[in-house]
Amino acid sequence: MTTVLIVGAGPTGLTLACDLARRGTALRIIDRTPEHARTSRAKGPNPRSLEVLEDLGVLDAVLAAGSAPMAMRKYRNGRWIADSDPFETSRPTPDAPYDRGRIMAQWQLERILRDRLAEYGVHVEPGAELTGLAQDGTGVTAELADGSRITARYLVGCDGGHSTTRKLLGVPMEGETATDQSMVCGDVVADGPERDRWHQWFDEDGAVMMCPIPGTRSGWWFQAAPERDADGNPVAPSLESFQRLCDRHTGAGVRLTEATLLSTYRVNVRMVDRYRVGRVFLAGDAAHVHSIAGGLGMNTGIQDAHNLGWKLALVTAGQAGPGLLDTYQEERLPVAAWTLDITSAGMRAVLEAIRKPGGGLEAGITPETSALGLGYRWSSLSRDRSGRTGTSGAPDLPADALNASSRAPAGDGADTRLRPGDRAPDAPCRDTATGTPRRLFEVFAGPHFTLLGFGAGSTAALRDIAAERGDTVRVCAVDAGPQAAPGGNVPGLDDHGGHARSAYGTDGDGLVLVRPDNHVGLLAPADGIRAVRDYLDGLGR
């Protein structure tokens, strides 16, 4: 019996596999396709996913494989109208080092994650199709199409919008399909357009969009409103149809010589009402699908996996109680509902924008689509200085968010103070001993909790936690001065620019416990070691 069986080797499943593997959790990951898919669908990780990928140790490879988002060039009736760059005024900040995502084909990201997974000795098992499952109080048995079986303590379905796992569980995907909103898509080889722009031809009778695929000489993502037959039905995507669409809308001599990975996309806005059935979990598109506006699909799945991985690892290692797994649904279900809402609003904004010459896809890109503002203030894992949890009455939480409200779970935007449940900010500091530049994200990176202690008054608590729980908690003193050095087990950082104190909202001494998925779990006074112990001892119990 393996500990965790992951069904589906897309970005969600691979992120979860990498996270579990680095924690030493025994796992298997299967995928029904006989060969690794070469799909380009998603256009890359957003800023929050870049932070996740940095934590997994693959950021350098991602940055090398992709490109920065390019400006968008809009046309009307084949004539250039305007260029726009939705990130023109955005800049990295000390607390958020990635102000924009990365453009790259989905297969490129999957390859990077598979390579990372292989470093842990784990490989995707292709051609393994799930056909049945059964579970009891001790584990799950997965039946495969070839008649074999795999038993595991837990199973996670990361197998996409048509998830077999979800169907076998009998979990409905509630929502709606916009039958009047469809798009034909594919990867094409083309000559003609300049490759430093995302070209968008929007006319009153249709549209064509072409975005260059980084890492290729002449590859493009092709998206268009479909041709219609005599009865008004969409024409199936093909090279010939794509060329006719180009001829009609581009007026720029665009010649297509190849078209692959053809598909017809219809806007579905659907999600499950639960992420867990016994020992089986759902993640990514298996749990939620929505409009592509804002590019949140793949990214929400990556962030699902990052939330679930550390919880599965701690529970299966006996370091947390089984109740910790309930917080996966508690935290991610409201985020999924918010995602459906924000992407639907983005799609409406795009459809309105393209009615006028010069409007384009940038209308669906907002600060919210970076996902940097998403957190879990309402969660039972979010504790304030008094020990209260988020569910005991977080004033910023919409009243119906715990019931999968479609309204934003991140808060009302009025209170900008860091609170438990928020994403833990980055900050540039210096190593106290050597003066070497070091970011907080470097301290957080890895499969552990991090206890930050601000000021000299926190060092006693840091030393005690390091001595008691050094296998699961990394401690770090910020602005503690030479008092952090005695004992040799409390590394220190100098917040020379004041960025850490500013980001964490502390002028004096205090403790901040950062979860393994880099969200704030607990804020406590400098002498609050009991609160830290209680938090860690009480996980899922």
Side-chain angles (χ1 to χ4, degrees):
M1 175 186 288
T2 192
T3 302
V4 178
L5 173 62
I6 300 171
V7 180
T12 301
L14 288 167
T15 297
L16 179 60
C18 288
D19 199 17
L20 290 173
R22 68 174 176 167
R23 301 174 192 278
T25 304
L27 69 104
R28 293 176 67 178
I29 176 169
I30 64 174
D31 196 275
R32 66 182 181 86
T33 58
E35 298 180 356
H36 297 314
R38 194 176 174 84
T39 178
S40 300
R41 292 174 298 179
K43 289 187 176 64
N46 66 12
R48 177 55 185 155
S49 289
L50 288 176
E51 295 181 353
V52 173
L53 296 168
E54 179 178 9
D55 182 50
L56 293 178
V58 298
L59 180 65
D60 288 346
V62 169
L63 296 179
S67 71
M70 55 212 63
M72 300 179 180
R73 175 159 291 177
K74 273 69 65 68
Y75 306 80
R76 197 75 161 191
N77 298 321
R79 299 178 59 186
W80 171 78
I81 296 294
D83 285 357
S84 66
D85 181 355
F87 302 101
E88 183 176 11
T89 61
S90 66
R91 299 289 185 274
T93 59
D95 65 321
Y98 312 113
D99 66 313
R100 63 197 68 193
R102 201 72 176 166
I103 298 290
M104 63 190 305
Q106 183 172 316
W107 64 265
Q108 294 171 314
L109 178 58
E110 291 175 358
R111 182 194 62 202
I112 290 169
L113 290 170
R114 283 197 304 271
D115 289 347
R116 182 61 166 167
L117 187 59
E119 294 177 14
Y120 300 108
V122 181
H123 302 272
V124 174
E125 301 173 41
E129 182 178 0
L130 179 71
T131 57
L133 62 81
Q135 59 175 311
D136 56 26
T138 61
V140 183
T141 299
E143 299 178 5
L144 306 185
D146 64 1
S148 62
R149 297 183 176 185
I150 300 174
T151 57
R153 290 176 62 183
Y154 294 96
L155 183 149
V156 185
C158 306
D159 45 350
H162 299 288
S163 170
T164 299
T165 306
R166 185 186 69 241
K167 293 173 183 176
L168 290 171
L169 291 174
V171 175
M173 194 79 147
E174 300 291 351
E176 60 184 19
T177 299
T179 56
D180 60 330
Q181 296 179 17
S182 63
M183 183 185 302
V184 287
C185 310
D187 287 8
V188 301
V189 175
D191 294 321
E194 299 164 314
R195 291 186 61 82
D196 64 344
R197 294 289 187 271
W198 185 345
H199 301 271
Q200 302 169 15
W201 292 268
F202 291 112
D203 298 326
E204 293 183 4
D205 62 343
V208 168
M209 293 155 280
M210 294 181 62
C211 180
I213 302 175
T216 67
R217 293 183 61 186
S218 54
W220 296 78
W221 284 292
F222 183 98
Q223 298 167 296
E227 289 187 295
R228 300 280 175 173
D229 62 21
D231 297 323
N233 298 315
V235 173
S238 66
L239 174 61
E240 296 74 19
S241 177
F242 285 1
Q243 185 63 65
R244 289 193 297 269
L245 288 166
C246 281
D247 293 343
R248 179 188 306 169
H249 295 290
T250 69
V254 176
R255 304 308 302 172
L256 310 180
T257 57
E258 185 179 335
T260 59
L261 301 173
L262 305 177
S263 64
T264 298
Y265 168 79
R266 292 178 176 82
V267 175
N268 282 282
V269 181
R270 298 178 179 275
M271 64 177 287
V272 298
D273 62 358
R274 53 195 182 277
Y275 270 37
R276 178 185 185 184
V277 178
R279 291 177 171 268
V280 181
F281 300 84
L282 299 171
D285 287 355
H288 42 75
V289 293
H290 45 78
S291 161
I292 60 175
L296 289 175
M298 178 189 74
N299 289 289
T300 304
I302 288 173
Q303 292 152 34
D304 282 348
H306 201 225
N307 182 285
L308 179 59
W310 69 276
K311 298 172 182 179
L312 273 172
L314 288 184
V315 171
T316 56
Q319 296 174 330
L324 180 62
L325 297 177
D326 293 334
T327 66
Y328 170 58
Q329 174 175 299
E330 176 189 355
E331 293 182 342
R332 295 304 296 175
L333 194 63
V335 171
W338 173 86
T339 302
L340 264 63
D341 186 60
I342 200 73
T343 54
S344 294
M347 178 59 78
R348 291 191 295 270
V350 169
L351 293 175
E352 179 64 25
I354 63 177
R355 294 174 61 185
K356 300 177 181 179
L361 301 182
E362 72 278 3
I365 300 174
T366 66
E368 289 81 6
T369 57
S370 72
L372 294 176
L374 290 177
Y376 313 117
R377 290 184 177 183
W378 66 89
S379 170
S380 58
L381 294 179
S382 301
R383 310 279 178 86
D384 64 16
R385 292 175 183 268
S386 67
R388 293 176 300 183
T389 65
T391 51
S392 63
D396 66 316
L397 181 66
D400 55 346
L402 290 176
N403 295 316
S405 162
S406 62
R407 294 155 63 186
D412 57 14
D415 187 353
T416 59
R417 295 173 302 165
L418 187 79
R419 293 173 55 183
D422 290 351
R423 161 193 165 274
D426 195 10
C429 299
R430 292 175 182 160
D431 186 280
T432 302
T434 67
T436 303
R438 197 171 189 214
R439 298 161 52 215
L440 287 185
F441 276 5
E442 296 177 64
V443 178
F444 299 159
H448 54 261
F449 283 86
T450 302
L451 183 62
L452 296 177
F454 286 87
S458 68
T459 56
L462 295 179
R463 290 194 199 102
D464 287 348
I465 291 296
E468 297 168 11
R469 305 171 189 264
D471 56 335
T472 58
V473 182
R474 178 180 293 175
V475 301
C476 184
V478 180
D479 279 351
Q483 299 187 56
N489 59 352
V490 181
L493 294 177
D494 173 21
D495 184 23
H496 62 287
H499 297 299
R501 285 192 176 277
S502 175
Y504 286 82
T506 176
D507 295 325
D509 297 355
L511 298 172
V512 180
L513 184 64
V514 179
R515 303 173 2 171
D517 60 351
N518 298 352
H519 284 264
V520 176
L522 170 72
L523 296 175
D527 60 354
I529 188 171
R530 174 175 291 183
V532 176
R533 289 175 177 146
D534 288 348
Y535 185 98
L536 296 170
D537 290 340
L539 288 170
R541 306 185 193 280

